[in-house]
Amino acid sequence: MGKVCEYYFAPQSPWAYLGHAKLAELAARYDARIELKPVDLARIFSVSGGLPLAKRPPQRQAYRLVELKRWRLHRGLPLNLQPRFAPTSGDAAARLIIATKLAHGTEAAMALTGAIMQAFWAEEKNIAEAATLMALADSAGHDGQALWKSSETAAVQNEYERFTQDALAASVFGSPWYIVDGESFWGQDRLDFVERAFAQ
């Protein structure tokens, strides 16, 4: 068995979307185990100095768009720079991912995570809406209604809270964030270094 990678992310993050498939590919190649941990990014921002996009200075917002264009081309992924439903809360999607992980395991949750991110960033879908999330779960071969009900339980909410607290304890301040052998890597543009950590 290879290394373990703690994967902290918010499903509404474009950077998590851009790196998600690459992380899955690297984990499979190096037989690494991913610990999938969706987090409440607003909570993390509130204690780490991060700002929601609308509150960032214009020059930072402009450069973000430049980088998104570069990385969507580099990764070969479709990505709308200004999705129809942005900004959005990732809470409902995160809880559905956790419910899927608890019911069907990490591999199924990783696949659904990718579908949710693509729905938001490439397909103009509202991932804060129950009907959208249930349909995505159905398309992934699950019982979307059952997973949605599970996602609203205290057990799933407690996991979401625990993952967010884990992130705060690990000094996470952005999405995505990877930890391998105690070493942190912030951003999908650090996946080359994650690969080196897997290979050691």
Side-chain angles (χ1 to χ4, degrees):
M1 189 69 181
K3 301 292 182 72
V4 175
C5 177
E6 293 178 76
Y7 175 29
Y8 295 97
F9 69 95
Q12 75 274 25
S13 163
W15 309 109
Y17 165 60
L18 286 166
H20 185 77
K22 181 66 175 178
L23 175 65
E25 184 266 316
L26 289 174
R29 190 192 313 169
Y30 291 95
D31 195 27
R33 179 168 61 85
I34 295 176
E35 291 188 359
L36 195 68
K37 296 187 174 185
V39 297
D40 183 344
L41 195 58
R43 287 262 308 281
I44 289 170
F45 277 178
S46 73
V47 300
S48 64
L51 292 174
L53 180 61
K55 294 185 178 180
R56 295 175 197 169
Q59 59 268 44
R60 286 181 176 267
Q61 294 191 39
Y63 188 73
R64 172 182 173 273
L65 294 177
V66 171
E67 283 283 86
L68 286 175
K69 288 177 185 176
R70 286 176 180 153
W71 279 101
R72 75 178 175 186
L73 181 62
H74 181 68
R75 295 284 187 218
L77 291 172
L79 183 146
N80 296 321
L81 297 176
Q82 296 177 319
R84 178 182 174 192
F85 294 102
T88 194
S89 168
D91 292 342
R95 289 193 297 265
L96 190 76
I97 291 164
I98 293 168
T100 303
K101 178 183 176 183
L102 293 174
H104 303 294
T106 297
E107 186 175 348
M110 283 287 289
L112 183 60
T113 297
I116 288 170
M117 290 174 172
Q118 180 172 317
F120 183 67
W121 287 103
E123 299 170 2
E124 302 286 31
K125 293 181 180 177
N126 184 1
I127 63 167
E129 182 181 69
T132 297
L133 291 171
M134 286 190 285
L136 288 168
D138 286 340
S139 295
H142 308 303
D143 183 334
Q145 186 173 20
L147 283 176
W148 177 258
K149 288 181 180 178
S150 177
S151 76
E152 296 188 300
T153 62
V156 167
Q157 182 58 46
N158 289 342
E159 281 290 272
Y160 190 33
E161 175 66 21
R162 181 170 71 85
F163 293 155
T164 301
Q165 289 297 329
D166 286 351
L168 293 171
S171 298
V172 171
F173 54 81
S175 168
W177 194 282
Y178 319 104
I179 301 177
V180 182
D181 289 338
E183 185 175 1
S184 290
F185 304 89
W186 173 39
Q188 62 86 30
D189 54 343
R190 297 297 184 266
L191 282 170
D192 285 351
F193 291 102
V194 171
E195 180 177 6
R196 292 180 194 180
F198 285 166
Q200 290 174 355

